[in-house]
Amino acid sequence: MTVRPSALDPAIASRLRRNDAGLFPAIAQQHDTGEVLMLGWMDDEALHRTLTTGRATYWSRSRGEYWVKGDTSGHQQWVRSVALDCDGDAVLVRVDQVGPACHTGTRNCFVADPLPARVGNPGVTADAGPAR
């Protein structure tokens, strides 16, 4: 596993579960509406920068460098809160998104290609009909 040097608090770092590249997914969510904006990747240092600067910082897998969301596009993500999930393998970054979150120019990254999915009903099971 690749772990780059970081100033991240060791107590937080010890809770993280990283992939073989030393990364974990970071889900960006609009703080006031709950809208899921995008998924990026972080390592320990990207999380440290996010926690200490108030700006969402990610690790670009394609460029092999850190990027602060909005530094080139102007579409910043201002951090409102950050939470580690129960397994330590993902973080939720609640942000105030300025402009589109997606590099394609859409508000979020999940509007371009919706998949056909059967909509479930929590009161009905596939075999038994309505729950009793």
Side-chain angles (χ1 to χ4, degrees):
M1 176 180 5
T2 304
V3 178
R4 286 168 283 284
S6 174
L8 183 64
D9 180 336
I12 297 171
S14 70
R15 297 170 56 198
L16 294 171
R17 291 181 47 200
R18 305 160 192 85
N19 68 14
D20 290 341
L23 303 173
F24 47 89
I27 302 156
Q29 180 184 42
Q30 178 63 34
H31 76 98
D32 54 352
T33 66
E35 176 185 17
V36 176
L37 300 168
M38 59 173 272
L39 178 126
W41 292 92
M42 288 185 176
D43 66 359
D44 292 26
E45 182 60 17
L47 179 57
H48 168 71
R49 293 179 187 190
T50 297
L51 293 171
T52 59
T53 66
R55 296 279 307 280
T57 303
Y58 301 95
W59 175 257
S60 171
R61 296 176 300 161
S62 61
R63 294 187 312 258
E65 64 186 20
Y66 296 102
W67 58 280
V68 178
K69 182 68 174 165
D71 270 2
T72 57
S73 68
H75 304 147
Q76 297 97 353
Q77 289 180 345
W78 297 99
V79 174
R80 295 300 183 121
S81 67
V82 180
L84 187 61
D85 82 339
C86 60
D87 295 323
D89 58 5
V91 294
L92 176 64
V93 185
R94 299 190 74 216
V95 301
D96 187 8
Q97 176 69 47
V98 176
C102 188
H103 69 280
T104 65
T106 58
R107 171 71 184 162
N108 71 61
C109 294
F110 300 99
V111 297
D113 195 12
L115 302 175
R118 182 175 179 177
V119 177
N121 182 334
V124 177
T125 62
D127 297 329
R132 301 185 198 281

